[in-house]
Amino acid sequence: MKQTASAVSDYRSYAADAACLTRAGAGTVTGTGAFGVPTVRAEHRPAQCPEPTEAYDALTPRDLDALRACESGKRFSDCLQRVFDERVASVAPPRLEVALGFRDESPPTLAVAPTAAVAGGVALVVILGGLLLSRAVLRPVRALTLAAKGLGEGDLGRRVPASGRDEIAQLGGAFNRMADSLQASEEHQRRLTSDIAHELRTPLANLRGYLEALRDGVLEPTPELLESLHEEALLQQRIVDDLRDLALAEAGALAYHHRDVDLRELLETSHRAHIPQAGAAGLVLNLEAPRPVYARADPDRLRQVVGNLVGNALRATAPGGTVTLALLGDGDRAVLEVRDTGTGIAADDLPRLFDRFWRADASRDRATGGSGLGLSIARQIVADHGGAIEVRSTVGEGTTFAVALPRARDGQPPAGGDAETGPSVSR
């Protein structure tokens, strides 16, 4: 009881002493006593504020009743705090209280039914949005899958819608371009097979007819007939060889043996080889190669290209005309030209000139043994050498084929080569 009375006395002393020191304007220092009771002291206590006493007799009956009530309770400190608040209420400022919401308002409760309805609505919206999004994304993917399956089964006409700029649209566009390429390749292969069959059917039918006539005794095996049959067999052999060369060239499997080649010497060799054919056709075959020009190439394949161009020029030129082989140096390019004064080629036919089996005059080429593959092979050989073939033609005036090739790196002949210039040759 004495301890409790001392604590309550400290409360009373705090109330009286704090009020006196505050009224006297003295500087105070606050602290906490042994029972958690606030204490006030002054460094220079004014005379009108004597030291507070802790006499038990200073307690009033009201204080004693409060103490007894605190002793009977379980939370002694809380009771003392309440007694303290009551004793200092007259001199202490009001306590600051912060409340959220309205005073004495009951705490909000969460309604189960509306909350469940809102959650269900949100979940439904999310599910519907996911379904729509997945449908928008998976539909073009499904279309691509079906189109790819059909393409693999041989339906080359299958295409997919490709609108927009997203990745799916770009994939659809790439698929359509691939399908176009496959379809074009298939059509090209079909035309090639048809052309080959057409090229071989007629001569083989002729050979069969003549051989059956010879077997049945209808025709006599004269030297002229045997020579004609031999020429027809040679033509079929040339077609087969040309097809093989073209297939190897387009597959990149055609063998090349590159070395430094004197193009003037190569034209001279081709010129000598075709002089008899030109003389028999009543044509003049000229050579214009004033100086040597070197290129890194396969000489045998280049002679094959030049021989094809010269043979075409001789067949396209009427008796009395001229065919010219020319060699030009154009910077880092060497240019071989084959010019003729023949009938020329129409402008509409120039884009098809290098197509397989295409002929501007099929009847004339058949009569002279042309296979319709020479220009296709020549273009591929020149491309494999890093060059290009260009053609210029005027109907009624003639045609010029120009083969442009990269010159040798140093522009000089190989060791031991002949760099002397030579005159133009004609016949």
Side-chain angles (χ1 to χ4, degrees):
M1 179 67 180
K2 184 175 176 63
Q3 184 180 16
T4 304
S6 176
V8 177
S9 179
D10 286 346
Y11 279 125
R12 296 182 63 219
S13 297
Y14 170 79
D17 199 30
C20 180
L21 292 175
T22 301
R23 286 192 298 268
T28 60
V29 178
T30 60
T32 303
F35 304 102
V37 178
T39 60
V40 177
R41 64 183 179 85
E43 296 179 357
H44 303 285
R45 181 174 289 277
Q48 65 269 29
C49 296
E51 289 291 341
T53 62
E54 297 182 3
Y56 181 77
D57 296 339
L59 295 176
T60 64
R62 184 180 178 186
D63 296 331
L64 293 174
D65 293 338
L67 290 174
R68 294 189 184 97
C70 288
E71 287 180 346
S72 62
K74 295 182 178 180
R75 304 187 66 177
F76 178 69
S77 60
D78 292 342
C79 183
L80 290 180
Q81 183 66 46
R82 188 183 70 253
V83 173
F84 172 77
D85 293 339
E86 293 175 353
R87 296 298 182 270
V88 300
S90 61
V91 294
R95 178 179 296 179
L96 176 63
E97 295 181 358
V98 178
L100 298 177
F102 296 100
R103 183 181 296 275
D104 300 330
E105 180 186 17
S106 59
T109 57
L110 190 62
V112 177
T115 302
V118 172
V122 172
L124 181 60
V125 170
V126 171
I127 293 173
L128 291 177
L131 291 175
L132 292 176
L133 181 61
S134 62
R135 180 180 177 84
V137 173
L138 295 179
R139 182 170 54 187
V141 174
R142 189 179 299 108
L144 275 171
T145 303
L146 294 175
K149 183 178 179 181
L151 197 66
E153 295 174 351
D155 185 5
L156 300 181
R158 293 293 293 269
R159 299 295 184 272
V160 295
S163 59
R165 298 183 179 179
D166 56 5
E167 289 77 4
I168 298 296
Q170 294 177 5
L171 179 61
F175 176 86
N176 290 339
R177 289 190 294 271
M178 179 190 67
D180 291 339
S181 178
L182 290 175
Q183 189 173 25
S185 177
E186 180 71 15
E187 293 176 355
H188 180 73
Q189 190 72 19
R190 190 180 297 109
R191 288 197 303 269
L192 177 61
T193 303
S194 176
D195 290 340
I196 294 174
H198 175 74
E199 290 295 323
L200 297 178
R201 182 184 298 111
T202 300
L204 288 178
N206 291 337
L207 283 173
R208 177 182 176 182
Y210 280 112
L211 290 174
E212 289 177 352
L214 289 172
R215 183 193 61 186
D216 297 338
V218 177
L219 293 178
E220 293 293 330
T222 62
E224 293 80 7
L225 178 58
L226 294 177
E227 180 66 23
S228 174
L229 295 178
H230 182 258
E231 288 294 332
E232 196 68 35
L234 290 179
L235 173 60
Q236 306 316 304
Q237 184 64 47
R238 280 195 295 270
I239 293 176
V240 173
D241 291 342
D242 287 346
L243 283 171
R244 177 179 178 275
D245 288 345
L246 183 60
L248 291 174
E250 291 184 343
L254 195 61
Y256 294 97
H257 303 283
H258 293 275
R259 64 181 180 85
D260 289 333
V261 178
D262 183 353
L263 298 181
R264 183 181 68 173
E265 180 181 344
L266 186 144
L267 288 185
E268 289 174 348
T269 301
S270 296
H271 177 264
R272 288 193 298 269
H274 288 88
I275 281 179
Q277 181 181 353
L283 303 175
V284 177
L285 183 60
N286 293 332
L287 174 63
E288 297 179 0
R291 63 182 182 276
V293 177
Y294 294 88
R296 190 75 178 172
D298 184 327
D300 294 333
R301 294 300 180 186
L302 284 188
R303 276 194 292 269
Q304 181 180 356
V305 172
V306 174
N308 178 271
L309 296 179
V310 174
N312 289 343
L314 294 176
R315 288 193 294 269
T317 305
T322 301
V323 175
T324 302
L325 282 71
L327 175 61
L328 309 173
D330 185 13
D332 60 347
R333 310 286 283 181
V335 181
L336 304 173
E337 287 191 351
V338 178
R339 302 189 291 261
D340 65 61
T341 59
T343 57
I345 303 171
D348 294 340
D349 293 335
L350 290 178
R352 303 183 57 193
L353 197 59
F354 294 94
D355 292 348
R356 299 183 182 96
F357 298 113
W358 186 87
R359 303 182 182 90
D361 189 348
S363 61
R364 182 184 63 196
D365 282 353
R366 168 58 60 190
T368 54
S371 68
L373 295 170
L375 289 179
S376 299
I377 297 173
R379 180 177 61 177
Q380 189 63 49
I381 291 174
V382 173
D384 291 343
H385 281 77
I389 295 183
E390 296 180 356
V391 58
R392 304 182 300 272
S393 185
T394 302
V395 176
E397 296 183 7
T399 303
T400 298
F401 284 88
V403 177
L405 298 169
R407 297 181 66 167
R409 181 173 299 179
D410 56 3
Q412 300 295 329
D418 184 5
E420 296 181 0
T421 60
S424 299
V425 179
S426 63
R427 182 184 184 277

